[in-house]
């Protein structure tokens, strides 16, 4: 049995001796007198976070176990960070990793950039990168957009798979740009400078919206800007590698909503090498017609696009739905379908130009077509409702 | 209230009664008047065990919902907290206890942990300094809750995610415990079959627990002949498909929770008695209880929706005829008899009206087209809104489909039959472009991946990019989760086993008869659920005949026997059916339940089934449980 007086001012040398002795005894499982244990705990519990960190830096014996509550642990971590000693920070982090749940630890690390960096490095060293990936999820908990952007920036150094890394990079870039666009537009809108904002005031902020929604916003409010600005559709398309189809559909939606029919036309018009313009689309024209109609496009505009629908049945059905008389008449004329023309004549107003047109065609038809029996008649009918599910 | 639980072959009322008895005992332990403070999550499951009337019998005078701050005033002697063992709830309880005014109304505090106590939680209460304030701290072991005469569920939402994503087997432990409780009440189950890793774990735990309790053998004649444990991940395809039974569709559109569905009230307001003045339309959604206690529902719940119209019209005729009988009642005796039947007939008529309304509701929703191209960027509705707005319903003789639903179903069936599963699907592309609800997209894309045994890297990348660009980069986490669970993954080998499995087990039946089905494939109008097929084959002719196919499915398959005490071996009569308990680890859909019920009532089936699961799911709730989203602010 050993009795040791507790003297807070014992010399360093004695202290080393004392602590080594106690530790040795504990190791040997000798029943060290309770008093000694108590003395040791007492001795140890006197150390504040600041003192503990100092001891760690000086290579002296220390004990982190006494920091039990979350608050104490965080104080310890902050002290360690203030000391700028990488080893100390890492040692504290190891202790925290052992004694705190992943979620709580990470939640606290989000706001402590230096500690976070060390933690990431440590995890990589010990091969526990996967933990990091789960923490990416926490970005959703960060409400303030600037803080979230910074958090995402930190996430960039996580060991994601190459694919995921690209997505995180895009996420960060997107949010970064959104913050800039939002600040700018908010200011422009409130100053009343731009007409577009006066006519169509913004209903919500662009922050944290997906890329396609951002593109739509851009096509709506910033159409035609050069690709030098962050807010231009061209820039967004290039930076985020948006597919032609998606780009087209989004632009179409935005311009159609604004009833900018010329812009819509320009989307599809291409010049071939002879200088002739032609309309092309990577998606079926019937889809475009639907979108235009939903945005209340006038019949003249709709008509042009219905005309471009390749499938004859679909073309006629769309034309009938949206009352594009000319298209129907022309199609039946091209198909030399006299019967249908007669039927359709009954559907238009007697005094309208359509009526006269049909009359003219019919009266010429005998001369032009002879007694041609109408082709395709049986095929051009309304698509029957698909009843049988077990096809 | 619980009569429907005893209809089946196994009287599940016994289980319910045991649970009620325990609850009564605990309540009596806290003598005197009481108020219960409820963890909201528990009110649903508890409702299936005990109604307020039982609580009232044991002096429960008030009930409150658990929330922060101060407890409401109530002149009771005891306050009992009914909570799950979750740390955040402990903090709320501590707040309640601390802010209690000890001077004016000293009340005793108790806690009932459901389903288990937790050291961690009690430690937390200690840290908050309130642990000493509680007089009784107990646990109420509520594992398996009887939902119907042949259906048990643990209602453990996180089970699939925990087991297959987070490798956390706590819910398996609870499952094993629940099965031990069942065996205590219904006798040791002599044979245990299983397929899957989790199934193996549960079986091992059961056997070990049995050994630990070797001393206390139950002397009950075993009710179950066998237990079949199935991992959800041996059949990832079935929950992804749209269910086509009546009950399945109600679940897909409105969601059925704890045996209740919340329906829009408009159609139901019309049901007033003649002469009653029309009140204002109710604005509260109508809550309907759906279980086999309702005769009509029991008849139609498992039918394919195409057969509902005929069933309802037939019922209408029967009820009409019954009411017409009053003209034939001439003598006093006959009139008396007729009058005594009236309540039953009126109940039947109101039941018919309700279900006709539900059917109309679904039909109404289906004929209204979804807003296709609304690219307005107003604050994004969270894509977790699970309304499957395009649904199909047949009413009487008219068949009306909504284009969108039909297209969706077509694509599902194409995938199931192996058509074009290796290309980017244009319908899915279009849906993404139209910004259809994200879960709908995920279901289809996962289906394609499962039916193709993983997607080619190029196609997977394309889908992922389209989804992330349209719905937001944060969904990357969800996509990662789906990959980890095997629902949406890259192709690792060029071999696709699915066509072989489909052919051997006859999963696709071309001419499924929806009106008068002769095979379980009617529940998906042609597709027989893989999990149920395995169950069917196990009963007859046994799994030896499909060894090759079983090897293609993940996880081991096994058979175990448990010793029965002497003299308890069941002597089965000639022609008497076996009873099998099928336990789905990770969730089961109503359509699969319907399919098992179909097997039970098959003439030469030979087996009757009781179904148990960790959770009743549909494709939407299932995918939702794998999504990573923070709580809404």
């Amino acid at each position: 049995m050993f009795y040791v007086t507790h003297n807070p001012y014992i010399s360093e040398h004695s202290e080393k001796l004392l602590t080594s002795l106690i530790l040795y005894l504990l190791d040997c499982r000798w029943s060290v007198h309770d008093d000694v244990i108590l003395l040791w705990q007492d001795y140890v519990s006197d150390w504040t976070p600041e003192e503990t960190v100092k001891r760690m830096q000086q290579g002296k014996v220390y004990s982190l176990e006494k920091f039990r509550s979350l608050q104490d642990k965080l104080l310890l971590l902050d002290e360690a960070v203030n000391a700028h000693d990488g080893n100390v920070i890492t040692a504290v982090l190891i202790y925290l990793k052992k004694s705190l749940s992943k979620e709580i630890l990470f939640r606290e690390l989000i706001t402590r950039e230096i500690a976070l960096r060390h933690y990431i490095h440590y995890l990589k060293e010990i091969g526990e990168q996967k933990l990091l990936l789960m923490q990416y999820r926490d970005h959703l908990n960060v409400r303030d957009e600037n803080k979230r952007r910074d958090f995402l920036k930190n996430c960039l150094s996580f060991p994601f798979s190459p694919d995921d890394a690209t997505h995180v990079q895009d996420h960060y870039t997107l949010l970064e740009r959104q913050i800039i666009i939002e600040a700018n537009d908010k200011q422009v809108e409130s100053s009343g400078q731009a007409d577009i904002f006066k006519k169509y005031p913004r209903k919500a902020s662009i922050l944290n919206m997906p890329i396609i929604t951002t593109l739509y916003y851009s096509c709506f409010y910033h159409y035609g800007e050069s690709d030098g600005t962050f807010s231009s559709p061209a820039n967004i398309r290039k930076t985020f590698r948006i597919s032609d189809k998606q780009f087209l559909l989004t632009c179409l939606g935005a311009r159609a909503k604004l009833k900018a029919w010329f812009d819509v036309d320009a989307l599809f018009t291409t010049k071939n090498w002879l200088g002739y313009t032609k309309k092309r689309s990577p998606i079926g024209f019937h889809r475009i017609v639907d979108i235009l109609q939903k945005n209340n496009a006038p019949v003249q505009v709709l008509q042009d696009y219905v005309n471009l629908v390749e499938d004859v049945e679909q073309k006629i059905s769309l034309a009938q739905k949206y009352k594009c008389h000319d298209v129907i008449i022309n199609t039946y004329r091209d198909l030399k379908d006299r019967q249908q023309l007669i039927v359709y004549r009954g559907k238009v107003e007697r005094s309208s130009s359509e009526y006269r047109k049909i009359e003219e065609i019919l009266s010429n038809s005998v001369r032009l077509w002879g007694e041609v029996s109408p082709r395709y008649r049986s095929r051009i009918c309304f698509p029957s409702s698909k009843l049988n599910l077990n096809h | 209230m619980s009569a429907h639980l005893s209809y089946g072959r196994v009287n599940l009322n016994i289980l319910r009664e045991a649970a009620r008895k325990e609850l009564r005992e605990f309540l009596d332990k806290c003598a005197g008047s009481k108020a219960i403070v409820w963890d909201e999550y528990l009110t649903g499951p508890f409702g299936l065990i005990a109604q307020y009337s039982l609580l009232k019998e044991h002096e429960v005078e008030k009930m409150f919902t658990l929330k922060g701050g101060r407890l409401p005033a109530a002149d009771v002697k005891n306050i009992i907290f009914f909570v799950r063992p979750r740390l955040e709830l402990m903090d709320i309880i501590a707040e309640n206890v601390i802010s209690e005014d000890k001077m004016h109304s000293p009340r005793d505090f108790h806690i009932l942990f459901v389903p288990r106590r937790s050291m961690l939680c009690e430690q937390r209460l200690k840290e908050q300094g309130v642990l000493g304030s509680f007089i009784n701290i107990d646990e109420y072991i509520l594992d398996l809750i009887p939902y119907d005469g042949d259906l048990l569920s643990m209602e453990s939402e996180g089970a699939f995610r925990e087991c297959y994503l987070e490798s956390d087997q706590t819910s398996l432990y609870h499952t094993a415990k629940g099965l031990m409780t069942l065996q205590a009440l219904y006798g040791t189950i002599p044979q245990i079959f299983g397929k899957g890793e989790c199934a193996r774990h549960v079986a091992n735990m059961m056997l070990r627990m049995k050994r630990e309790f070797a001393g206390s053998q139950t002397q009950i004649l075993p009710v179950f002949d066998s237990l079949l444990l199935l991992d959800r991940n041996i059949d990832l395809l079935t929950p992804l498909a749209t269910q086509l039974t009546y009950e399945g569709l109600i679940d897909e559109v409105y969601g059925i929770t704890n045996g209740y569905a919340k329906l829009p009230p408009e159609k139901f307001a019309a049901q007033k008695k003649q002469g009653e003045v029309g009140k204002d339309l109710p604005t509260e959604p109508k809550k309907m209880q759906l279980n086999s206690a309702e005769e009509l529902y029991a008849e139609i719940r498992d039918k394919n929706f195409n057969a509902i119209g005929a069933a309802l019209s037939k019922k209408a005729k029967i009820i009409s005829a019954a009411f017409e009988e009053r003209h034939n009642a001439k003598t006093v005796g006959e009139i008396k008899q007729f009058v005594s039947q009236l309540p039953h007939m009126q109940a039947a008529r109101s039941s018919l009206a309700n279900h006709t309304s539900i059917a109309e509701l679904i039909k109404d929703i289906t004929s209204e087209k979804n807003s296709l191209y609304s690219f307005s960027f107003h604050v994004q509705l969270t894509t977790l809104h699970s309304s499957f707005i395009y649904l199909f319903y047949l009413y009487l003789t008219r068949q009306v489909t909504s284009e969108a639903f039909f297209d969706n179903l077509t694509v599902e069936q194409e995938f199931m039959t192996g058509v074009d599963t290796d290309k980017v699907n244009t319908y899915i592309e279009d849906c993404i472009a139209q910004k259809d609800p994200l879960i709908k997209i995920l279901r289809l894309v996962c289906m394609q991946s499962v039916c193709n045994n993983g997607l080619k890297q190029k196609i997977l990348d394309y889908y992922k990019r389209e989804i992330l660009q349209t719905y937001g980069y944060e969904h990357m986490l969800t996509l990662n989760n789906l990959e980890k669970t095997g629902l949406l993954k890259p192709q690792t080998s060029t071999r696709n086993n699915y066509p072989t499995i489909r052919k051997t087990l006859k999963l696709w039946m071309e001419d499924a008869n929806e009106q008068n089905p002769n095979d379980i494939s009617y529940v998906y109008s042609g597709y027989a659920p893989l999990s149920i097929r395995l169950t069917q084959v196990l009963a007859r002719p046994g799994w030896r005949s499909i060894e090759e196919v079983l090897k293609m499915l993940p996880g081991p398959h096994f058979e175990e026997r448990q010793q029965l005490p002497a003299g308890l071996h069941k002597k089965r009569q000639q022609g008497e059916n076996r009873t099998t308990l099928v336990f789905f680890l990770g969730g089961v859909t109503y359509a699969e339940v319907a399919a098992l019920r179909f097997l039970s009532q098959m003439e030469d089936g030979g087996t009757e089934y009781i179904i148990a699961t960790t959770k009743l799911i549909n494709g939407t709730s299932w995918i939702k449980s794998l999504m990573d989203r923070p709580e809404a602010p």
Side-chain angles (χ1 to χ4, degrees):
Chain A
M1 296 202 213
F2 299 87
Y3 290 85
V4 179
T5 52
H6 175 49
N7 182 349
Y9 303 112
I10 59 176
S11 72
E12 203 180 298
H13 179 72
S14 310
E15 190 197 278
K16 273 219 174 78
L17 215 58
L18 169 68
T19 51
S20 329
L21 190 59
I22 293 181
L23 290 172
Y24 172 71
L25 290 172
L26 287 172
D27 262 342
C28 296
R29 291 196 166 78
W30 282 24
S31 55
V32 184
H33 197 275
D34 284 340
D35 282 346
V36 178
I37 308 284
L38 283 171
L39 280 172
W40 170 249
Q41 285 178 335
D42 209 20
Y43 186 55
V44 159
S45 68
D46 276 348
W47 297 330
T48 63
E50 206 187 312
E51 282 169 358
T52 308
V53 167
K54 227 186 277 188
R55 296 181 68 85
M56 289 168 85
Q57 279 179 300
Q58 294 165 346
K60 291 187 184 166
V61 157
Y62 60 91
S63 163
L64 299 181
E65 302 295 321
K66 57 155 266 187
F67 297 101
R68 303 186 93 83
S69 73
L70 179 63
Q71 201 181 27
D72 287 341
K73 288 176 182 159
L74 292 177
L75 280 171
L76 179 64
L77 180 62
D78 289 334
E79 266 312 317
V81 169
N82 284 337
H84 300 293
D85 185 332
N87 282 327
V88 174
I89 301 177
T90 306
V92 172
L93 284 171
I94 292 176
Y95 170 62
L96 294 188
K97 179 169 184 286
K98 232 184 359 183
S99 60
L100 284 178
S101 80
K102 297 196 282 267
E103 288 78 30
I104 297 181
L105 175 56
F106 216 78
R107 189 185 69 206
E108 297 301 330
L109 286 180
I110 290 175
T111 45
R112 297 170 165 84
E113 205 181 312
I114 299 176
L116 178 63
R117 253 194 291 122
H118 277 89
Y119 188 58
I120 294 172
H121 184 75
Y122 167 64
L123 286 182
K124 280 194 189 157
E125 294 262 289
I126 62 172
E128 281 196 18
Q129 297 97 314
K130 288 231 157 38
L131 271 177
L132 292 173
L133 300 180
M134 294 196 302
Q135 311 306 0
Y136 167 69
R137 162 183 35 189
D138 283 339
H139 81 269
L140 295 167
N141 287 328
V142 182
R143 301 259 170 262
D144 172 66
E145 62 271 12
N146 289 300
K147 292 214 181 83
R148 189 188 280 207
R149 177 199 55 206
D150 293 336
F151 179 83
L152 284 175
K153 193 156 177 204
N154 281 331
C155 288
L156 289 176
S157 58
F158 290 179
F160 287 114
S161 70
D163 266 343
D164 288 348
T166 321
H167 292 138
V168 180
Q169 173 72 53
D170 282 345
H171 192 174
Y172 165 68
T173 314
L174 179 61
L175 184 57
E176 195 184 40
R177 306 251 170 126
Q178 282 173 339
I179 293 177
I180 298 173
I181 298 174
E182 175 70 17
N184 191 53
D185 283 0
K186 206 161 168 187
Q187 195 257 328
V188 168
E189 186 174 24
S190 56
S191 71
Q193 286 169 355
D195 269 342
I196 182 89
F197 289 112
K198 279 200 272 209
K199 265 203 285 199
Y200 298 94
R202 302 181 329 139
K203 288 189 228 142
S205 128
I206 191 65
L207 295 172
N208 300 313
M209 292 290 150
I211 181 67
I212 295 294
T213 313
T214 312
L215 177 63
Y216 180 86
Y217 174 92
S218 158
C219 290
F220 199 91
Y221 288 114
H222 297 276
Y223 201 62
E225 283 178 20
S226 84
D227 65 0
T229 61
F230 282 153
S231 48
S232 74
N235 187 309
I236 294 180
R237 176 192 201 167
K238 206 168 56 176
T239 314
F240 297 99
R241 305 172 305 284
I242 298 184
S243 71
D244 286 344
K245 245 188 193 179
Q246 280 280 42
F247 185 73
L248 201 77
L249 273 173
T250 315
C251 277
L252 174 64
R255 296 333 280 170
K257 186 94 188 245
L258 286 167
K259 303 200 190 313
W261 312 122
F262 286 118
D263 287 336
V264 169
D265 271 350
L267 282 174
F268 301 104
T269 311
T270 52
K271 270 199 164 77
N272 70 5
W273 65 280
L274 282 172
Y276 291 123
T277 58
K278 190 173 125 90
K279 283 211 169 55
R280 281 171 21 155
S281 158
I283 50 176
F285 277 106
H286 62 281
R287 297 263 312 272
I288 300 179
V289 169
D290 272 334
I291 299 178
L292 289 172
Q293 194 272 334
K294 289 248 159 21
N295 284 293
N296 302 314
V299 180
Q300 300 91 309
V301 174
L302 275 180
Q303 210 149 241
D304 285 340
Y305 290 93
V306 176
N307 234 344
L308 292 165
V309 175
E310 285 183 5
D311 180 71
V312 179
E313 269 186 46
Q314 211 173 31
K315 188 196 286 195
I316 298 226
S317 129
L318 280 172
Q320 279 172 329
K321 198 161 149 194
Y322 300 131
K323 305 225 181 322
C324 304
H325 302 303
D326 275 339
V327 175
I328 300 177
I329 298 172
N330 290 339
T331 315
Y332 285 141
R333 178 199 63 200
D334 293 338
L335 292 171
K336 298 193 174 37
D337 195 336
R338 189 183 293 133
Q339 259 302 29
Q340 288 290 2
L341 278 171
I342 296 174
V343 167
Y344 201 72
R345 185 183 58 185
K347 293 194 186 144
V348 299
E349 279 200 38
R350 285 219 106 191
S351 48
S352 64
S353 55
E354 289 88 35
Y355 192 86
R356 285 196 293 277
K357 188 168 174 183
I358 299 180
E359 287 281 284
E360 207 184 307
I361 297 174
L362 284 174
S363 58
N364 288 328
S365 65
V366 181
R367 178 169 58 85
L368 291 173
W369 305 341
E371 293 298 320
V372 179
S373 57
R375 288 173 287 168
Y376 303 115
R377 187 178 19 146
S378 52
R379 289 241 308 241
I380 302 172
C381 53
F382 294 99
S384 52
S385 52
K386 304 162 198 169
L387 292 174
N388 187 14
L389 291 176
N390 303 324
H391 62 288
Chain B
M1 202 261 125
S2 63
H4 60 288
L5 294 181
S6 27
Y7 283 163
R9 193 176 178 75
V10 176
N11 185 359
L12 291 181
N13 232 338
I14 299 178
L15 183 63
R16 188 167 177 270
E17 276 309 316
R20 286 161 72 97
K21 178 156 158 270
E22 263 201 58
L23 182 59
R24 284 198 187 96
E25 279 171 7
F26 177 75
L27 288 173
D28 289 338
K29 234 165 125 178
C30 319
S33 58
K34 348 176 155 50
I36 301 185
V37 183
W38 286 96
D39 173 354
E40 249 184 328
Y41 184 80
L42 293 176
T43 48
F46 258 86
L48 290 167
I49 302 288
Q51 301 292 57
Y52 182 52
S53 47
L54 176 139
L55 301 173
K56 223 160 131 189
E57 278 170 28
H58 293 268
E59 302 177 277
V60 174
E61 288 173 20
K62 291 248 164 70
M63 303 217 282
F64 306 115
T65 316
L66 180 68
K67 47 177 183 260
R70 208 174 162 162
L71 282 173
D75 187 18
V76 288
K77 184 157 172 288
N78 301 289
I79 300 274
I80 313 181
F81 292 96
F82 277 30
V83 286
R84 289 166 293 160
R86 292 174 77 108
L87 290 175
E88 62 269 20
L89 299 179
M90 299 302 110
D91 290 336
I92 302 178
I93 292 180
E95 227 182 288
N96 285 165
V97 171
I98 289 172
S99 52
E100 178 81 345
D101 181 2
K102 298 226 169 37
M103 289 294 109
H104 284 105
S105 47
R107 302 186 276 198
D108 291 337
F109 289 107
H110 316 269
I111 299 188
L112 188 63
F113 282 109
V114 185
R116 283 195 170 75
R117 284 172 89 138
S118 144
M119 278 296 335
L120 219 62
C121 287
E122 292 176 47
Q123 184 70 12
R124 175 65 140 240
L125 290 172
K126 192 163 173 203
E127 279 173 20
Q128 299 272 18
V130 295
L131 187 62
S133 321
F134 295 101
I135 299 182
N136 286 318
I137 300 183
D138 258 328
E139 59 184 7
Y140 183 68
I141 301 176
L142 189 64
D143 281 323
L144 280 168
I145 306 169
Y147 271 71
D148 218 312
D150 57 358
L151 185 58
L152 298 152
S153 169
M154 293 169 64
E155 285 307 284
S156 161
E157 274 175 349
F160 181 78
R161 192 196 167 107
E162 282 166 28
C163 292
Y164 297 101
L165 189 62
E166 296 165 3
S167 305
D168 171 0
Q169 295 180 341
T170 318
S171 47
L172 296 182
Y173 172 74
H174 289 318
T175 305
K177 274 263 146 145
L179 283 166
M180 297 308 288
T181 310
L182 265 187
Q183 288 186 104
L185 290 171
Y186 296 99
T188 309
I189 306 176
Q191 259 185 325
I192 304 180
F193 297 94
K195 172 76 184 151
E197 284 290 343
C198 298
R200 181 76 260 184
H201 283 301
V202 171
N204 288 344
M205 278 192 268
M206 279 176 73
L207 294 172
R208 195 171 58 232
M209 287 176 192
K210 194 95 206 323
R211 280 198 295 274
E212 283 165 16
F213 289 104
S216 52
Q217 290 273 39
T218 53
Q219 292 303 314
I220 306 172
L221 200 63
V223 170
F224 294 106
D225 292 293
S226 57
L227 164 67
L228 172 58
L229 295 159
L230 290 174
D231 274 31
R232 183 71 261 171
N233 76 341
I234 61 169
D235 175 10
L236 293 172
L237 176 57
T238 304
L240 294 172
T242 308
Q243 299 170 71
L244 298 177
T245 57
Y246 181 59
E247 184 165 42
L249 272 178
I250 298 180
D251 190 30
E252 295 265 356
V253 184
Y254 295 108
I256 302 179
T257 346
N258 296 314
Y260 284 88
K262 283 212 181 105
L263 304 158
E266 301 88 55
K267 285 259 150 57
F268 300 94
Q271 289 168 38
K272 19 188 216 291
K273 300 193 184 64
Q274 283 173 332
E276 199 178 280
V277 177
K279 295 191 232 152
D280 292 308
L281 275 180
T283 46
E284 284 287 303
K286 182 172 167 80
K287 209 167 155 191
M288 266 206 73
Q289 190 174 31
L290 298 170
N291 60 37
S292 58
E294 196 181 343
E295 202 184 304
L296 174 61
Y297 189 67
E299 274 177 40
I300 61 176
R301 76 196 300 189
D302 297 321
K303 283 188 188 299
N304 186 296
F305 61 81
N306 273 336
I308 294 296
L312 286 178
S313 75
K314 195 165 100 180
K315 194 75 177 186
K317 288 200 187 91
I318 294 176
I319 295 180
S320 286
F323 272 98
E324 286 305 301
E325 277 296 298
R326 71 175 188 278
H327 297 302
N328 296 347
K330 298 264 166 32
T331 68
V332 171
E334 281 173 358
I335 294 178
K336 206 163 161 196
Q337 195 185 37
F338 177 78
V339 167
S340 71
Q341 300 273 28
L342 262 179
H344 177 237
M345 282 156 49
Q346 278 167 343
R349 185 169 59 180
S350 124
S351 168
L352 175 68
N354 276 337
H355 287 287
T356 309
S357 299
I358 298 179
E360 274 183 14
L361 265 175
I362 297 181
K363 190 189 91 165
D364 279 353
I365 288 173
T366 66
S367 51
E368 190 185 321
K369 271 225 157 115
N370 181 22
S371 65
L372 293 178
Y373 299 101
S374 54
F375 273 102
S376 59
F377 71 101
H378 63 276
V379 178
Q380 236 177 331
L381 283 176
T382 158
T383 51
L384 302 182
H385 184 42
S386 71
S387 65
F388 267 80
I389 346 186
Y390 7 80
L391 260 201
F392 170 100
Y393 174 69
L394 151 72
Y395 184 55
L396 293 180
T397 53
R398 241 183 330 150
Q399 273 187 335
V400 176
T401 74
S402 146
E403 286 281 324
F405 178 73
F406 177 77
D407 290 339
N408 194 72
L409 201 59
T410 308
V411 168
E412 282 184 12
Q413 295 192 334
E414 276 175 6
F415 288 156
M416 289 198 259
T417 46
V419 170
D420 285 346
T421 53
D422 54 355
K423 305 189 183 62
V424 170
N425 184 284
T426 36
Y427 177 70
I428 297 180
E429 257 190 306
D430 290 350
C431 288
I432 297 178
Q434 286 159 212
K435 242 181 152 176
D436 281 350
L438 177 59
I439 296 195
K440 169 185 171 171
I441 308 293
L442 291 178
R443 275 173 85 160
L444 287 171
V445 157
C446 288
M447 217 186 197
Q448 185 176 354
S449 169
V450 168
C451 292
N452 200 48
N453 196 27
L455 295 173
K456 279 207 283 267
Q457 193 64 51
K458 228 175 62 171
I459 299 182
L460 181 62
D461 287 342
Y462 179 76
Y463 278 143
K464 272 173 137 171
R465 203 188 65 184
E466 292 284 295
I467 290 174
L468 292 177
Q469 285 188 340
T470 312
Y471 298 97
Y473 291 107
E474 60 266 24
H475 294 286
M476 197 178 89
L477 301 159
T478 305
L479 294 177
N480 275 348
N481 289 347
L482 291 175
E483 183 171 337
K484 253 177 118 172
T485 47
L487 281 162
L488 179 60
K489 58 178 191 181
Q491 225 172 15
T492 39
S493 68
T494 44
R495 235 182 87 132
N496 182 8
N497 286 323
Y498 178 66
T500 316
I501 299 175
R502 192 178 67 231
K503 282 201 198 74
T504 318
L505 294 178
K506 295 203 191 59
L507 296 183
W508 180 260
M509 305 290 278
E510 192 60 54
D511 295 308
N513 188 331
E514 292 159 349
Q515 308 289 340
N516 296 307
N518 57 1
D519 179 71
I520 56 173
S521 52
Y522 83 90
V523 296
Y524 287 101
S525 288
Y527 165 70
L530 170 59
S531 53
I532 311 302
R533 211 32 126 207
L534 288 178
T535 314
Q536 190 178 15
V537 171
L538 176 66
R540 247 185 230 155
W543 275 354
R544 287 257 164 80
S545 56
I546 51 167
E547 280 282 342
E548 284 304 311
V549 165
L550 279 178
K551 287 208 189 80
M552 294 179 195
L553 299 170
H557 62 274
F558 59 88
E559 179 184 334
E560 297 283 350
R561 285 188 185 272
Q562 297 199 99
Q563 285 283 24
L564 290 176
L568 285 185
H569 289 273
K570 209 161 137 183
K571 278 231 166 353
R572 201 167 308 112
Q573 309 292 357
Q574 185 73 308
E576 194 185 318
N577 285 339
R578 298 165 53 94
T579 309
T580 300
L581 174 64
V582 187
F583 207 119
F584 291 86
L585 301 163
V588 76
T589 58
Y590 285 101
E592 285 167 300
V593 172
L596 281 174
R597 287 189 179 131
F598 176 80
L599 289 179
S600 293
Q601 52 82 43
M602 252 169 63
E603 292 234 345
D604 312 326
T607 314
E608 280 188 37
Y609 296 100
I610 305 290
I611 305 130
T613 178
T614 49
K615 179 90 173 71
L616 287 158
I617 58 173
N618 58 51
T620 304
S621 63
W622 192 44
I623 299 280
K624 221 194 255 197
S625 74
L626 293 171
M627 291 180 89
D628 262 327
R629 285 225 116 212
E631 318 298 313

